């Protein structure tokens, strides 16, 4: 697992919050980030719910008939060239399509997810993995992603919370960090990693 992130000089993760810089601009830093993302050659990239929501942009649309629901795993697209993985313990994400920029979506969910939500994902052509507990065991999830989807090289590109959980669990092998020559300067701004009680357990 490679954690690949872009940060301001003071650790801010949101380019929309960055101050103006005499060296470069947001679009140039974004381009540099994406260029490195491609050179890292991941089989998949993983983010948390908040980050994925910005890309998924869907609304709830459960199908009227969902008699047969697969648990704990539904594979809609085995052998995709690349996957976009979302960690969504509370099942709040909804999608407009089954891929993000051509990368097939996989959602990691907590055990309390409703059948209607799983039916919605399946009908949208989206793969999912339901955890055995209401929290998601990160180590077990990685084992499942490898065994069921053949994912060997994973790029962790989430926010401070999800990054912190993987770091605290000892699951990150490499760090790729682009530092933009700018600042955020906000109190309580989410930083590069955030360690909380759940993160220290390696669960989200």
């Amino acid at each position: 697992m490679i954690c690949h992130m872009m940060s301001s000089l003071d650790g801010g993760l949101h380019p929309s919050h960055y101050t103006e810089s005499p060296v470069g601009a947001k679009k140039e830093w974004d381009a540099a980030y994406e260029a490195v993302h491609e050179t890292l050659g991941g089989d998949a990239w993983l983010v948390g719910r908040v980050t994925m929501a910005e890309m998924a942009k869907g609304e709830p649309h459960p199908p009227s008939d969902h008699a047969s629901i697969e648990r704990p795993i539904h594979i809609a697209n085995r052998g995709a060239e690349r996957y976009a993985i979302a960690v969504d313990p509370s099942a709040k994400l909804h999608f407009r399509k089954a891929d993000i920029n051509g990368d097939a979506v996989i959602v990691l969910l907590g055990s309390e997810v409703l059948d209607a939500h799983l039916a919605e994902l399946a009908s949208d052509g989206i793969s999912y993995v339901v955890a055995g507990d209401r929290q998601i065991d990160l180590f077990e999830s990685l084992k499942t992603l490898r065994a069921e989807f053949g994912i060997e090289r994973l790029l962790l590109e989430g926010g401070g919370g999800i990054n912190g959980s993987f770091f605290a669990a000892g699951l990150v092998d490499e760090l790729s960090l682009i530092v933009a020559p700018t600042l955020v300067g906000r109190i309580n701004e989410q930083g590069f990693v955030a360690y909380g009680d759940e993160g220290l357990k390696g669960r989200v």
Side-chain angles (χ1 to χ4, degrees):
M1 172 174 279
I2 303 171
C3 183
H4 175 50
M5 297 301 299
M6 180 167 66
S7 169
S8 65
L9 292 171
D10 54 351
L13 295 179
H14 300 284
S16 61
H17 298 170
Y18 290 177
T19 58
E20 293 186 9
S21 171
V23 182
K26 179 181 179 299
K27 64 179 181 179
E28 294 169 296
W29 306 328
D30 286 345
Y33 179 89
E34 292 300 329
V36 174
H37 170 98
E38 292 300 324
T39 63
L40 291 173
D43 302 315
W45 48 274
L46 181 149
V47 296
R49 179 189 62 82
V50 174
T51 302
M52 183 59 80
E54 297 175 359
M55 296 176 274
K57 298 180 179 179
E59 298 293 335
H61 53 279
S64 57
D65 180 18
H66 52 271
S68 178
I69 301 299
E70 292 182 280
R71 286 179 185 254
I73 300 171
H74 170 71
I75 301 177
N77 192 337
R78 191 190 299 273
E81 183 174 348
R82 188 159 57 184
Y83 293 98
I85 304 169
V87 181
D88 185 22
S90 301
K92 295 182 179 179
L93 284 172
H94 303 275
F95 295 82
R96 293 192 299 181
K97 56 181 183 176
D99 67 272
I100 303 296
N101 297 326
D103 300 336
V105 174
I106 304 172
V107 184
L108 306 181
L109 300 148
S111 62
E112 296 185 350
V113 58
L114 299 178
D115 283 354
H117 189 76
L118 298 182
E120 176 181 306
L121 294 175
S123 67
D124 288 342
I126 292 174
S127 301
Y128 60 76
V129 178
V130 180
D133 196 346
R134 64 181 299 176
Q135 292 183 313
I136 296 174
D137 187 304
L138 301 179
F139 178 71
E140 290 299 322
S141 295
L142 293 182
K143 287 173 60 177
T144 299
L145 291 172
R146 180 178 183 178
E148 300 293 340
F149 297 92
I151 296 172
E152 300 279 350
R153 189 174 179 86
L154 178 60
L155 306 183
L156 172 62
E157 300 181 322
I162 194 70
N163 288 351
S165 293
F166 277 98
F167 271 102
L171 298 174
V172 178
D173 301 296
E174 299 179 25
L175 172 63
S176 168
L177 180 62
I178 295 176
V179 180
T182 184
L183 299 170
V184 171
R186 295 188 179 188
I187 297 174
N188 297 324
E189 176 78 11
Q190 186 183 64
F192 179 64
V193 294
Y195 291 92
D197 290 340
E198 292 180 347
L200 291 173
K201 297 175 185 176
R203 302 167 76 89
V204 293

